[in-house]
Amino acid sequence: MTSDSQRYEELKELLNTYSYEYHVQDNPSVSDAIYDGLMRELKALEEADASIITDDSPTQRVGNKLLQGFEKIQHSSRMISLNDVFSRENVEAWIKRTDKLAPGRTHEFYASLKMDGLACALIYQDGKLSQAITRGDGFTGENVTGNVRTIKSVPLSLRTDGQHEQFLNGRTEIRGEILMFKTDFEHLNKQRESEGLPMFANPRNLAAGTIRQLDPRLVAARPLQFRAYDLIREDADIQTFSQATEIIRNLGVVPITPAEVFVTLNDVMKFVDHWEAERHVLPFNTDGLVVKLNNRKLYAELGVVGKNPRGAVAYKYPAEEATTVVKDIVISIGRTGAATPVAVFDPVVVAGTTVQHASLHNADEIERKDIRRGDTVVVFKAGDIIPQVDRVLVELREPGAKRYNIEAELKNQFPDMEFVRPKGEAVYRVKGATGPLLLKRALQHYASKGAQDIDTLGEKNVAALVNAGLVKDLADIYTLSKDQVTALDRFADLSATNLVNGIQAVKNPALARFVYGLGIRHVGIQTAIDLSSHFKRLDNLGSASLDELRSVNGVGDVVAESILIWFDDEYNQKLLAKFRRLGVWPQEVKSTGGPLSGKSFAVTGSLETMGRDIAAEKIRAQGGTFQSSVGKDTDYLIVGANVGASKLAKAAKLGTKQLTEQEFIKIIDN
């Protein structure tokens, strides 16, 4: 008959196996009910005889609360950080340096995703988890063993299929990252929101903060993960990092993946580019990859400079969030009369593109985040597309900064309008204004004498077209047919013909007339002329930065912000795209001449000797055209540092000539 102690060992081993299958292999062999039933039996045995309890029992993951903080422990070897690189050229330069230090040595590269977590070293003594130490300053970390034991993907005992028995004897160290998956983070924040608790900022900070909690019970309640990237064992001959990964997996610990071995730089960069495009499908956050020489002996021979190894680099993707200062909060009136506050800030690069403003949605959102003019804010891109203000760094707020009063701002910015906030809604709207009413006003302005000058499209005709549902935006007038118009009460055959012909006659208007006709707030006829003379093409105006707009004579902050927000509005972007599809586009203002006349330029990456805005000014000053993206009509692509792969690929496909920054400087100087 099986004794209690024998039964205890069997249960303990079986439950640890089930936990490994569930949390490491993601392939459970039994249901939760079976696991829970066996766990209850194990607990009963421990309650009956506490002397049989061992440290690797699954009941011992959650220990007692610490009373005096965390013990400092020195690492067996330094936990180093990596040099950052941002482009293929940076990686090439790193490879050339390693080739000089190890001439004639061929080498493989081991590339793995860089998880955005908290670095930690797990120490196993004779196969049992004995210590978990944070990275700290690289030399000394904190003993967080009690908290790390609560992480289900950290095995309390190593396991092996018989190939690596030596790692179950003596000291084995496994280094990796403690992190939280995105879905777990979102679920936790939703739960806190429903309970009226403050939201957590991001998964990385939450994981790091959780591990430093003094109460392991709180840590156990949060779904943390551990993923390993290195294995340290003095008496083991581990020849490559890829081999170390396989051993880690065999010992029952989840390694960092995806990870692959490559023999050429081209293959490494394909891996880099692939995950830059696909990283948002990953369950965890990443800011790049780690690229190492796969040969561990060569890696060690190259040594360390300062605190960075010569044999590895961290390839960083464009930042997903950044800080900037709110210069102003302006209000945009949408086509339905909704008043949307918009933060305008210093240009900042987020997820590879420059952003200068973000919607603050409504008065409640501003109040909740307490965003004020002059605040330093953290900006991110929702879904890697839409700029959003995440939070205010209140500690950097200027003394005396006033809270934003949206009602006072509406009166100040729109003194000729009255606004109401319908019951149960968070949005203020123009009183008495509906979508059709605003559309009628916009269409009358578009057809007015200073704009397209369509004399057959007066107030009554506009009303008839909108009321009949034939026109739902400005571009729809170009889709009207004679038969559609004739079917309306107020039109006869001749008047319908005149209306349709009058509209079709202005499919390619002067740029200034078109810009004025768009109805951008604060942009009158003269301002439209000044903008057209400066930017020459609508694409140039639409991609202009705040500083570029301010540089136009007569355009101040208010006008520049209004233009910027209009062109970045999603509805307006779709409207412009529709105009283009229908063959409606303003004429380019012909240059008065210059050495770059008739030539179009685009830029990718950052320029060392000048900002992108300065480059654009130099191109336009010499008669050329500056474009925000590469197209069929782009003559040159200026390639700076930290370039993205997409523009280079498009330029190569279209046969666009590429220039280095120095080649570009020679052209404009000559």
Side-chain angles (χ1 to χ4, degrees):
M1 185 175 178
T2 304
S3 66
D4 285 350
S5 60
Q6 186 178 350
R7 176 65 174 174
Y8 176 75
E9 291 298 325
E10 291 172 349
L11 285 171
K12 185 176 68 174
E13 183 177 351
L14 189 59
L15 285 166
N16 281 332
T17 297
Y18 290 158
S19 180
Y20 165 75
E21 291 172 345
Y22 185 93
H23 294 287
V24 176
Q25 292 188 319
D26 195 23
N27 186 30
S29 62
V30 298
S31 67
D32 289 348
I34 293 174
Y35 182 91
D36 293 342
L38 295 175
M39 177 66 84
R40 284 194 294 271
E41 184 182 348
L42 183 75
K43 288 179 178 178
L45 289 173
E46 291 181 344
E47 289 171 1
D49 182 7
S51 66
I52 67 173
I53 301 174
T54 57
D55 287 344
D56 61 339
S57 168
T59 65
Q60 300 304 298
R61 284 195 176 273
V62 182
N64 296 321
K65 184 174 181 179
L66 292 175
L67 298 178
Q68 296 180 339
F70 299 100
E71 174 192 8
K72 300 288 186 181
I73 297 183
Q74 189 169 345
H75 289 292
S76 60
S77 61
R78 187 177 181 183
M79 291 188 74
I80 52 182
S81 56
L82 303 178
N83 273 322
D84 293 338
V85 295
F86 302 92
S87 67
R88 181 190 179 98
E89 290 74 19
N90 293 158
V91 180
E92 284 179 337
W94 166 65
I95 292 173
K96 287 179 181 177
R97 289 195 298 271
T98 60
D99 288 342
K100 285 183 181 179
L101 293 168
R105 303 278 292 273
T106 58
H107 36 253
E108 297 177 326
F109 303 100
Y110 185 68
S112 61
L113 281 175
K114 187 173 178 292
M115 292 186 168
D116 192 14
L118 174 72
C120 187
L122 307 181
I123 316 300
Y124 288 87
Q125 190 64 40
D126 296 330
K128 302 287 192 293
L129 180 64
S130 61
Q131 284 184 329
I133 311 168
T134 62
R135 180 181 181 277
D137 63 1
F139 295 100
T140 303
E142 293 182 317
N143 184 350
V144 291
T145 310
N147 286 344
V148 170
R149 289 175 65 87
T150 70
I151 301 174
K152 300 293 180 62
S153 54
V154 172
L156 302 179
S157 298
L158 297 177
R159 55 194 302 120
T160 180
D161 59 5
Q163 297 182 55
H164 305 104
E165 292 289 340
Q166 72 180 102
F167 293 92
L168 304 187
N169 300 306
R171 187 183 192 279
T172 298
E173 181 173 345
I174 297 174
R175 293 181 173 180
E177 299 280 340
I178 295 171
L179 66 152
M180 183 177 289
F181 284 173
K182 291 185 285 191
T183 53
D184 291 329
F185 175 76
E186 291 165 4
H187 177 75
L188 195 58
N189 257 350
K190 285 180 181 177
Q191 182 180 335
R192 290 179 67 83
E193 185 178 24
S194 67
E195 296 171 357
L197 298 173
M199 308 275 268
F200 292 120
N202 57 64
R204 197 269 173 201
N205 289 356
L206 177 56
T210 299
I211 284 299
R212 299 202 77 257
Q213 294 290 328
L214 296 178
D215 189 349
R217 290 171 298 181
L218 188 151
V219 183
R222 294 179 182 173
L224 298 178
Q225 301 282 342
F226 179 82
R227 295 294 182 268
Y229 61 74
D230 200 7
L231 175 65
I232 299 174
R233 176 84 187 200
E234 290 185 359
D235 61 353
D237 182 21
I238 308 173
Q239 297 182 1
T240 64
F241 284 103
S242 55
Q243 182 188 4
T245 296
E246 290 308 309
I247 296 173
I248 286 169
R249 184 180 283 110
N250 186 254
L251 293 174
V253 183
V254 187
I256 288 179
T257 55
E260 293 185 38
V261 176
F262 303 101
V263 294
T264 68
L265 172 63
N266 280 339
D267 289 337
V268 171
M269 295 312 299
K270 285 179 183 177
F271 187 74
V272 169
D273 293 341
H274 171 77
W275 286 112
E276 180 174 6
E278 298 294 326
R279 58 184 159 147
H280 299 292
V281 306
L282 294 167
F284 53 84
N285 287 332
T286 177
D287 61 355
L289 297 98
V290 173
V291 184
K292 303 176 183 177
L293 299 180
N294 195 28
N295 187 312
R296 289 171 70 106
K297 184 178 179 182
L298 177 57
Y299 178 94
E301 286 176 2
L302 291 176
V304 175
V305 178
K307 61 178 181 179
N308 308 123
R310 291 191 178 97
V313 290
Y315 190 103
K316 289 295 188 75
Y317 292 133
E320 301 239 324
E321 64 177 20
T323 60
T324 186
V325 176
V326 176
K327 293 298 187 185
D328 200 0
I329 300 175
V330 299
I331 297 174
S332 173
I333 306 300
R335 61 191 178 95
T336 63
T340 303
V342 178
V344 179
F345 37 71
D346 290 333
V348 62
V349 177
V350 184
T353 59
T354 301
V355 296
Q356 300 175 78
H357 66 85
S359 170
L360 300 179
H361 305 295
N362 53 57
D364 290 348
E365 181 76 354
I366 295 179
E367 184 69 22
R368 184 175 71 81
K369 294 180 178 177
D370 189 18
I371 300 169
R372 310 182 188 186
R373 289 186 176 93
D375 274 349
T376 300
V377 295
V378 176
V379 180
F380 73 103
K381 278 193 171 181
D384 205 30
I385 298 173
I386 304 168
Q388 303 265 4
V389 174
D390 180 56
R391 63 192 183 277
V392 175
L393 299 181
V394 181
E395 57 272 26
L396 296 178
R397 174 173 287 161
E398 291 288 336
K402 295 180 179 179
R403 296 184 77 92
Y404 190 80
N405 184 329
I406 192 168
E407 291 189 351
E409 292 292 338
L410 287 168
K411 290 178 181 178
N412 180 51
Q413 294 185 35
F414 303 93
D416 56 336
M417 296 183 185
E418 187 177 351
F419 293 85
V420 293
R421 181 176 177 175
K423 188 175 181 180
E425 292 190 18
V427 177
Y428 284 85
R429 298 182 185 277
V430 179
K431 186 176 182 180
T434 62
L437 177 60
L438 292 173
L439 175 57
K440 290 172 186 176
R441 291 178 182 174
L443 194 49
Q444 285 173 229
H445 175 76
Y446 182 80
S448 66
K449 194 171 184 64
Q452 310 324 309
D453 194 17
I454 308 174
D455 58 7
T456 55
L457 196 56
E459 181 180 350
K460 292 182 179 180
N461 284 354
V462 165
L465 294 171
V466 173
N467 291 340
L470 294 179
V471 174
K472 296 178 181 177
D473 59 38
L474 296 182
D476 274 346
I477 62 172
Y478 294 96
T479 68
L480 294 171
S481 68
K482 177 186 171 184
D483 290 342
Q484 284 178 313
V485 178
T486 306
L488 302 180
D489 289 340
R490 62 178 287 103
F491 290 95
D493 186 79
L494 180 59
S495 58
T497 300
N498 290 340
L499 174 63
V500 172
N501 289 346
I503 293 170
Q504 293 298 317
V506 290
K507 293 185 75 171
N508 300 109
L511 178 58
R513 285 181 171 274
F514 189 78
V515 170
Y516 174 65
L518 291 175
I520 304 170
R521 187 165 174 78
H522 303 303
V523 175
I525 294 176
Q526 186 56 54
T527 301
I529 293 171
D530 293 338
L531 290 168
S532 301
S533 299
H534 184 89
F535 291 106
K536 313 295 185 188
R537 300 170 70 233
L538 188 64
D539 286 328
N540 294 340
L541 174 60
S543 62
S545 69
L546 198 60
D547 286 340
E548 281 185 291
L549 291 166
R550 288 179 182 136
S551 71
V552 178
N553 185 39
V555 176
D557 289 349
V558 173
V559 178
E561 290 169 358
S562 182
I563 296 168
L564 185 75
I565 291 168
W566 192 95
F567 276 100
D568 277 357
D569 181 85
E570 184 179 2
Y571 171 80
N572 294 332
Q573 288 285 345
K574 290 179 179 178
L575 176 64
L576 292 175
K578 187 172 181 178
F579 271 127
R580 201 188 289 266
R581 286 197 306 272
L582 295 172
V584 180
W585 206 248
Q587 302 169 35
E588 179 179 348
V589 176
K590 298 301 180 184
S591 173
T592 54
L596 301 185
S597 180
K599 302 296 182 182
S600 297
F601 295 75
V603 175
T604 184
S606 56
L607 304 180
E608 293 182 1
T609 60
M610 68 186 81
R612 191 172 297 203
D613 296 343
I614 300 299
E617 287 180 11
K618 290 180 179 292
I619 290 166
R620 290 171 182 144
Q622 297 193 29
T625 299
F626 179 78
Q627 298 176 323
S628 60
S629 59
V630 178
K632 292 181 180 179
D633 59 343
T634 305
D635 297 297
Y636 299 100
L637 176 62
I638 306 163
V639 182
N642 306 328
V643 299
S646 59
K647 279 189 179 178
L648 290 178
K650 190 172 184 181
K653 182 179 179 181
L654 296 173
T656 305
K657 185 174 181 180
Q658 297 183 23
L659 299 174
T660 65
E661 185 174 351
Q662 294 306 313
E663 288 172 334
F664 167 65
I665 291 172
K666 286 182 181 179
I667 289 175
I668 59 176
D669 284 348
N670 293 332

